[in-house]
Amino acid sequence: MAVSKSDEGRQAEPMLRRLASDVGLKILFCLAALVCFATISLFAAQLRALAPAGEPGSLVANDFSAFWAAGKLGWSDPLGVLDVERLSAVQRWPADGFIPYFPFAYPPAWLMAMLPLGALPYAIAWPLFSATGVVVYAAALWWTLDGLPSERGALMMAALSPPLLFFVLIEGQTTLLWLTLLTVAVAALASGRAILSGAICGLLAFKPQLCPLVAVAFIAYAVGQPRARTAVPAAAVSVAMVCLLPVIHTGWSYWPVWAEAAVKMGAEIAHAPNAWDSMVSWYPALRAVGMGHVMALVAQGSVSLALAAGIALLWWRPGVDQALRSAALLLAIPLAAPTAWYYEGVAFALATVLLVAARYDRTVWRRLHLILLWALPGYIVPLGATLPLPLLTAPLATLLFAGVLREASARRAPA
């Protein structure tokens, strides 16, 4: 997601000065500090409350508990990680009659990545995993924003301070690692390193539900930019390796069992109203307002096809601002996934940061739009059950996606 200054950007007042003049930079710094302080404080409090390793209550009820338990069980029983009962036996929840539901529903490549963490105590593995996500995400952003040296610090703070980041770190989710790989892959593609870009892009397959629009973008870019055509076969080889190499440990039977578990989980989510409050795409929003499963799925499919067409057009056209391309892709990825959970909203926050870098925020209304989409997903977790925030995030992101397409077309018009 490399960003470079356009002629318009050079003539505009530097973003860092604009932020400083309206205390925006100070607010971002305070928010980043608050996210950091709150995350470390909650980590410390929950780690102190853990029972000794091996006893009930030795894990926190979060998403990482499933990753860690799968890593621990996966050494001896790879197929067992897909069975909720066998996985729960490793998680050792407190014997209070309540069993949290944190299944492992990932392809074998992610299981292999979790094996080293499963060999560590949970109290070490959880903060280590979250801290690694922040470090690599920040490093990727620092590298890809090197075309804006005078503004890189402000953009970094904006990317690392959305309220949602706190919940992603506490849950121990994979979002930051996935976005890091996507950011580096897109930056490598834009800089002409097509084979490297494709190889990194293939690693995204550990979250296959988010990959369709990435494939559309890369294929469209390769069609419009002949020098980038090697990215597509490189990505195909990388995906094949990600899918095939782990079966040396898991066995071929992992794939059909995983597919069955994924379909079953998708069906359960589709009919679980309490889950819709924690998602950001159109399907759960439409279900929440009373639309039936089939009609909501048809509507979601229509939206996904429209998003794919917009991404194909934007990435195929030569001369489009790379920040606009990247922002559109980040907006579209969660919107196109029927069951995109709240933590995928970090992609929305990163998209707003790239749009600020691309000088999209030229009017008050555009700035308000960016601020809302940057901030709102972070309140889905604490307020989702009482306020219909998911009903706002999908329309806001879709409207911004349309605005980005229009902006890209307008900037090309004079040429």
Side-chain angles (χ1 to χ4, degrees):
M1 297 182 184
V3 178
S4 61
K5 287 190 174 182
S6 63
D7 291 338
E8 178 185 358
R10 292 190 184 97
Q11 295 170 2
E13 182 181 4
M15 189 197 67
L16 191 60
R17 190 181 304 164
R18 287 189 287 123
L19 284 172
S21 65
D22 62 8
V23 302
L25 186 58
K26 296 176 182 177
I27 293 174
L28 284 176
F29 179 82
C30 291
L31 284 173
L34 181 61
V35 168
C36 180
F37 175 76
T39 303
I40 294 174
S41 298
L42 190 55
F43 264 112
Q46 293 192 331
L47 290 174
R48 284 197 300 268
L50 289 178
E55 296 184 11
S58 58
L59 276 70
V60 173
N62 62 3
D63 291 328
F64 182 75
S65 65
F67 302 158
W68 180 85
K72 190 174 183 65
L73 181 62
W75 287 102
S76 58
D77 186 11
L79 288 181
V81 305
L82 300 172
D83 184 277
V84 175
E85 292 185 1
R86 280 187 275 182
L87 196 67
S88 295
V90 178
Q91 290 166 326
R92 300 286 287 167
W93 303 119
D96 57 3
F98 173 70
I99 301 178
Y101 186 67
F102 291 104
F104 185 84
Y106 282 77
W110 189 245
L111 173 60
M112 298 300 292
M114 292 297 100
L115 291 179
L117 289 176
L120 297 174
Y122 175 84
I124 296 176
W126 172 37
L128 176 63
F129 179 80
S130 290
T132 300
V134 173
V135 170
V136 297
Y137 182 58
L141 290 175
W142 188 260
W143 174 52
T144 57
L145 294 171
D146 63 351
L148 298 167
S150 65
E151 303 174 356
R152 188 160 47 173
L155 293 169
M156 287 283 295
M157 275 192 284
L160 294 173
S161 59
L164 182 58
L165 193 67
F166 167 78
F167 295 100
V168 171
L169 297 176
I170 292 301
E171 285 295 330
Q173 253 300 331
T174 60
T175 307
L176 295 184
L177 293 176
W178 197 89
L179 285 177
T180 295
L181 292 172
L182 178 62
T183 299
V184 175
V186 171
L189 186 67
S191 63
R193 287 169 279 191
I195 294 178
L196 174 62
S197 174
I200 296 172
C201 182
L203 300 179
L204 296 171
F206 76 87
K207 294 188 81 167
Q209 71 275 21
L210 299 181
C211 291
L213 289 193
V214 178
V216 170
F218 270 62
I219 292 172
Y221 191 83
V223 172
Q225 307 284 338
R227 63 186 176 86
R229 287 177 182 171
T230 53
V232 175
V237 171
S238 180
V239 169
M241 293 179 65
V242 166
C243 292
L244 297 178
L245 290 181
V247 301
I248 297 174
H249 175 72
T250 64
W252 290 103
S253 55
Y254 186 99
W255 278 109
V257 176
W258 169 79
E260 182 181 354
V263 170
K264 180 181 178 182
M265 184 181 300
E268 291 175 351
I269 292 172
H271 301 286
N274 61 322
W276 304 335
D277 294 333
S278 300
M279 297 181 182
V280 295
S281 57
W282 277 101
Y283 173 83
L286 294 174
R287 292 303 307 275
V289 297
M291 186 176 287
H293 168 65
V294 175
M295 289 301 297
L297 207 57
V298 170
Q300 174 67 65
S302 301
V303 170
S304 299
L305 288 175
L307 292 168
I311 289 297
L313 179 63
L314 194 61
W315 281 70
W316 165 74
R317 280 180 171 175
V320 174
D321 189 312
Q322 187 60 35
L324 294 180
R325 276 199 185 108
S326 301
L329 182 59
L330 287 166
L331 291 168
I333 286 171
L335 287 173
T339 55
W341 294 92
Y342 68 92
Y343 40 78
E344 312 299 359
V346 176
F348 294 156
L350 180 55
T352 64
V353 172
L354 293 178
L355 289 175
V356 171
R359 311 293 178 182
Y360 180 84
D361 60 327
R362 294 191 304 271
T363 67
V364 173
W365 292 112
R366 284 187 174 187
R367 291 179 187 178
L368 179 60
H369 195 166
L370 294 178
I371 290 171
L372 284 174
L373 196 56
W374 177 86
L376 275 183
Y379 297 96
I380 287 178
V381 177
L383 301 178
T386 55
L387 294 177
L389 292 182
L391 303 183
L392 298 177
T393 53
L396 281 172
T398 305
L399 286 173
L400 187 56
F401 179 83
V404 172
L405 293 183
R406 182 178 179 181
E407 178 76 6
S409 178
R411 291 190 184 185
R412 284 175 47 83

